[in-house]
Amino acid sequence: MKLQRMNRRALALGALAVSGALALTACGSDDTSGGSGGDASAAANSNIKCDDAKGQLQASGSSAQKNAIDAWVKAYTTACKDVQINYRPDGSGAGITAFNQGQTAFAGSDSALKPDEVEASKKVCSGGQGINLPMVGGPIAVGFNVPGVDTLVLDASTLAKIFDSQITNWNDEAIAKLNPDAKLPDLKIQAFHRSDESGTTDNFTKYLKAAAPKDWKYEPAKAWAAKGGQSAPQSSGVAQQVKQTSGAISYFELSYAKDGIKTVDIKTEAAEPVKATVENATAAIGAAKVVGTGKDLALELDYTPSADGAYPMVLVTYEIACDKGNKADTLPATKSFLNYMASEDGQGLLADAGYAPMPTEIITKVRETISGLS
């Protein structure tokens, strides 16, 4: 046990030190195990501070962070037995709506609050407002199911045209030019997008708009705006469609690309196409800047990196809470649980759940902000 605990801490500290960058990885699957074993949970439990927290904590939002939440809840509630946590992974848009209607103690969103959402939050945050606390993140993978094709390269322009129904067949000339050695079949493209409002959609379309502005005419948003295509709810839904549908393509967090789902290599300005990996996403978002004001820690990401090995499609998942005016009956549990999520042990647990921790400079600010919630 002692050796495992030391290895866990070493893993967490090593991940936090990587290039001083946002060490982001894929977002979760539907597996409620959270990927962490009993020994890992026990190691994390040792330093959890319950702070007299008790009662039920309701939260909802991002499905991208579901596995991270599952792992945190498992460890936290083992240590803090007087707290029950119910997180509904019903999408970023639904999470923000529920939070701003006073239905939840905090929300998860893969996009920072917009000005109108901040304004709406003031109605439930008495004397304060909703703020963004970056907690986890990862690369957005583009999964595909094309018989006979194991490796596929696409660029922003081709992706934009595929998801806007301008390229409709897998042996299209534009795809063939990017994949001269692939045996592309004469097969209809089945492009799937999210049916629910999603921060993943927001970040995916931010990439398309930034990298292929001539081909992607729509403004980035949580709600899908392009024409045509098919839809499914949540990341698990679109990933399942790719897995079971010949000719399918869709976007989702990297850890949903499991059970044989292949992912697209993205052609950027770099010399070689970039694979959807944790390390390559980290390379792209190392230059992320805190652009929020006051206690808000919203980040600005770079969707058009040119460095070798920099993966351009990334997201950060925020926990959204009131800086002031949190409900008195849930404030102790909210602060206790968020503190655990941002702690060294909480962040260290992410590796087994398919994520990586925030870098020291970001997570330190998050911890300071959480301690001041009132």
Side-chain angles (χ1 to χ4, degrees), residues 293-319:
T293 58
K295 294 181 179 180
D296 187 81
L297 298 177
L299 301 176
E300 182 177 75
L301 301 171
D302 180 8
Y303 295 99
T304 57
S306 58
D308 289 343
Y311 188 76
M313 285 184 283
V314 294
L315 60 78
V316 169
T317 300
Y318 302 91
E319 312 312 327

Side-chain angles (χ1 to χ4, degrees), residues 213-233:
K214 293 182 180 180
D215 300 304
W216 191 257
K217 309 294 185 181
Y218 313 95
E219 289 302 313
K222 295 184 184 73
W224 187 256
K227 63 183 180 181
Q230 302 179 64
S231 65

Side-chain angles (χ1 to χ4, degrees), residues 16-17 28 31 58 71 81 107 158 192 212 260 263 288 292:
L16 285 169
D31 179 7
Q58 302 293 332
K81 299 183 183 301
T158 307
F192 286 88
T263 60

Side-chain angles (χ1 to χ4, degrees), residues 142-153:
V142 177
F144 68 95
N145 180 349
V146 182
V149 178
D150 293 325
T151 301
L152 184 68
V153 175

